[in-house]
Amino acid sequence: MMMKHLRYLFFALLMLCGSCSDFFEIDRPPQVPWSTVTEFERAAIGAYAGLFSGNEWNMAWVNERIVKSSMGDDVGFVTNPEWGYDRNTKEYNVYTERNFIQLYRVIATVNDALAFVDKHNGNPFPGASQEDKINNVDRIIGELHFIRGYAYYILITTFGHTYDNSTVDIPMPIKFASSATEARNPPNGTTVDIYELITEDLVFAKTKLPEKFDAALHHPSYQVRATKFAAAALLMRTYLQKGEYDKALTESDFIIEQNNGEFDLSEDPIEAWNKSSLERGKEVIFYAPFFDENLPPPSHISVINNYWNNSLTPWVETYMAFSTVTRFNWMDTPQTDTTINIEAKRDKRFSQLMMLRYPANKHQPDQIFETRGPIAGSATIWCNKYYRGDKINRTNVPLIRLAEIYLTRAFLRFQANNLIGAADDLNTVRERAWDEIAAGASYTPISSGSITEQMINDERLIELFNEGDRIDYLRAIRTDIPNGDRGPGSVSYQSEDFVWAIPQLELNFNDGL
């Protein structure tokens, strides 16, 4: 029965489009798409489906992680022009173009549903009980604002400038286009405009969303969707991007201190990444539920992960930069030696979520080795987070985790000169990752007197490696982006190198861009 209800979650776009043929039948008047609260659930379901699915090569969060991971100083990149997502952001890029189109479809879906709400003065189902309005109607409206905020967040951090900029960046439709002319001439938003809209959406969502799913109150499909804490986490990210550190700190405090035991870091890191069922890891705040076989499985995320269909993939493109590996002292000379240092061995994230590929000429028969020319002679460390459940690519993918919240709060506390609090948060994440057996010793906490911002930033790099966070984070904290293996020096966080080109199709029809 539960799976039946959850399948309902991902047929939404088909359901929504099912009325399209009716619309064009002359002998039938236009139909109200949602005549009951239960039917209105489809509005949110369809919008989530736009974020989580698409065809196998077109998923919004997948494309985001690929292009952003490929830009960081923390990765080495096996250049292959066929993939089309190298760091040159100004050339045609099939993945970012797909993302642009997909995300605006999501926004259109949300705007259509919100127009329905506005048409009824915020009370689309006056006959519903007060309990139903609060627990379901208001929740669904809150989810719609969350999804629109999420879609715009991906768009502005991909195609936009940092918040300290007033450039006109991307289209900013906030209502469903009623004509081809409106569709071709949407309002365009500056960097600030877009971030203010995201903030408004997420603040609203946070007020309307419950803290957790309640089977007695909510539609069964809601248990895999956004809660108040997911809205707070995305709001925290937004405030960080805006440089509003006090507000970001308030959201991180709320998530950590007021989640009533719903989320914690009590489990090993792998437990967030190995669930092929409704179950989630204790630190997972929001995830893409690919255990449901009616949702198309993620596909080309394999380019930043080692395995695909339980076998080693040759497509993986972004390994940990040699400069990063040596700076962490995980290996001394990975280009010439395969020795792994204790600093790597004692970190559970290395042993559980990463993989070493050996040089082609220095591997043992049971060891995985690299054959591609540019790196065939080196020992390389690769991401191994995705597809770790027993159903392989039917494994749920975390989109927001508690470790990120702790590390954000560590940075914010450090900036506020709360060094004790910053050290506490950093130690919480580091101790969870500490392998006492491999280290041969218990964890020694970082003291408030020795903590540095670089420690926090390095810990975040390791924790969120290949989750698309690195570029967003460094731009948010106004830190220039090191070149890593690309050469000496760094690039300004405000550089156009980190602003992906608007697809030509949009430029052809949008006179304001």
Side-chain angles (χ1 to χ4, degrees), residues 10-32:
F10 302 115
F11 278 115
L13 288 181
L14 294 177
M15 290 177 174
L16 287 170
C17 293
S19 63
C20 294
S21 59
D22 298 340
F23 182 84
F24 291 104
E25 291 184 20
I26 298 175
D27 59 338
R28 296 180 63 184
Q31 308 247 330
V32 176

Side-chain angles (χ1 to χ4, degrees), residues 67-132:
V67 298
K68 287 181 178 175
S69 292
S70 74
M71 298 165 71
D73 62 302
D74 57 326
V75 300
F77 189 79
V78 184
T79 302
N80 185 340
E82 178 184 355
W83 293 107
Y85 55 82
D86 203 348
R87 203 180 189 182
N88 187 344
T89 59
K90 300 311 175 188
E91 291 187 358
Y92 170 76
N93 184 293
V94 64
Y95 297 109
T96 52
E97 180 179 69
R98 287 171 176 172
N99 234 26
F100 190 91
I101 295 170
Q102 182 80 359
L103 288 166
Y104 277 108
R105 286 176 179 167
V106 171
I107 290 168
T109 299
V110 170
N111 287 343
D112 187 31
L114 291 179
F116 171 76
V117 174
D118 290 342
K119 181 179 178 180
H120 294 85
N121 298 316
N123 186 21
F125 304 101
S129 67
Q130 188 64 21
E131 181 182 43
D132 209 14

Side-chain angles (χ1 to χ4, degrees), residues 307-320:
Y307 277 98
W308 169 247
N309 284 339
N310 207 30
S311 62
L312 196 68
T313 174
W315 304 339
V316 65
E317 298 290 323
T318 51
Y319 57 92
M320 185 173 284

Side-chain angles (χ1 to χ4, degrees), residues 20 74 76 237 242 250 290 319 379 463 507:
C20 294
D74 57 326
R237 290 180 183 175
K242 293 168 68 175
T250 297
F290 288 107
Y319 57 92
E463 182 66 43
L507 297 178

Side-chain angles (χ1 to χ4, degrees), residues 151-201:
Y152 271 120
Y153 184 88
I154 296 175
L155 285 164
I156 194 63
T157 54
T158 304
F159 300 97
H161 296 78
T162 52
Y163 185 72
D164 49 359
N165 192 293
S166 58
T167 302
V168 174
D169 275 331
I170 58 175
M172 195 178 76
I174 56 174
K175 66 176 184 176
F176 192 79
S178 60
S179 68
T181 300
E182 282 191 13
R184 291 186 176 188
N185 296 276
N188 297 309
T190 65
T191 311
V192 171
D193 291 335
I194 299 296
Y195 275 109
E196 293 311 305
L197 175 59
I198 294 169
T199 303
E200 291 173 9
D201 273 341

